[in-house]
Amino acid sequence: MVTEFVAAAKKLEGELIAQRRDFHRHPELGYQEVRTSAIVANQLSDLGIEVQTGVGKTGVVGLLGDERPGPTVLLRFDMDALPIQEENDIEYVSSNAGVMHACGHDGHTAIGLAVARMMVQQRDRLQGTLKFVFQPAEEGGCGAEAMIADGALRDPRPDYAFGLHLWNERPFGWVGATEGDMMAGVCGWECVVSGDGGHAAVPHRARDPIVAAAQIVVAMQTVVARNVPPMEAVVVSVTQIHGGDKDNVIPGEVRLSGTLRYFRNTDCERSKDRMTQIAENVASAMECRADVSFGSVYRPVANNADAALLVRELAGRVPGVTVVADDERTAVSEDFGEFTAEIPGCFFFVGSANGERGLDFPHHHPRFDFDEHSLTVGAVLMASVAADYVLPD
Ligand SMILES: [Zn+2]
Ligand SMILES: [Zn+2]
């Protein structure tokens, strides 16, 4: 099937790139993907795919097949952009001030539509069902959870789930699909350190939350160094410190917040316990008080071994792919983990950087852009993976 999809994708390439550029020009933040999801829903329904809109607010689900029995395969593509002002000098630059497709989800959505187009061409031979899931709010908005809560995994329940990410950490030609934990789980946290403010020149009559907060930041680094098994990976990053607004005033309160990344639930629980104990007790030693709270959680992306192997086998047959890796792991998170927690499947990376053309800025950078040849690789590979389950040889 790979060869057939290569031929089909060649015909679709111009359209695929134009579609990606259109999405790039009109980026929308999480749960505001109104234009994007309308285009997706219209194109799917023009293809004769049964469409459900409003799944997880702006999410779209398309169902193809089910005339002949066979497995149900979920293919997920995320649609949201980021609150970043684009700094690229390109013809398809964002026309929405302060909003940018800086993660490549414009490419994912365009790939999803191309895959739908290619699979519709095979409609008469389908044995099973394809569930196209176009997801909102991947960037911290829990879009996967919202779609699942709205029934994305019911009627029919998928047997397998696949997703992809264009990956600027690796060059075009590289594809990675790792068995087991591939991307970290994430849990946001906040710590409010309360003291008692006062005159900066009379510190002995205040209880200074700044000094306490500074020591909490340093002490929290020992969670990774001393509380997590050395062969496992956890990240505790403090990314915000807010406190005080005048040189001669000791403030009453400091707010810290950041991110906790993990691969094992036991490490997550242990880290949360230790972060809380450290913050509370260091604050108490400094005559202050700390209240630690943890926010929304994305679970780790854990790939099924057989599904990851299938992706790697098929990737090796896609023209343009020169390296197929089985060992890529990252502490970056993805809410595709909400799908792999329920359904066996695989999330894979498609190398998309091209250093010679200056297309190698990291994800979430105001100059992020990628080699558009990777769109075809992603579409052919995703279609081939789906076909392996629902198209007889
Ligand atoms: Zn991102
Ligand atoms: Zn992303």
Side-chain angles (χ1 to χ4, degrees), residues 218-236 260 264-279:
V218 175
M220 270 195 190
Q221 306 310 310
T222 63
V223 173
V224 173
R226 302 288 89 181
N227 301 132
V228 174
M231 304 309 283
E232 290 181 23
V234 163
V235 181
V236 176
L260 164 66
R264 308 229 174 277
N265 287 332
T266 47
D267 292 338
C268 175
E269 292 313 316
R270 172 82 169 134
S271 301
K272 282 159 84 171
D273 286 349
R274 288 298 298 141
M275 288 166 72
T276 306
Q277 287 166 356
I278 287 170

Side-chain angles (χ1 to χ4, degrees), residues 78 103-105 108 138-139 165 334 363-364:
D78 46 8
C103 201
H105 301 184
H108 304 165
E138 189 285 322
E139 300 285 1
H165 211 298
E334 237 295 337
H363 294 263
H364 297 199

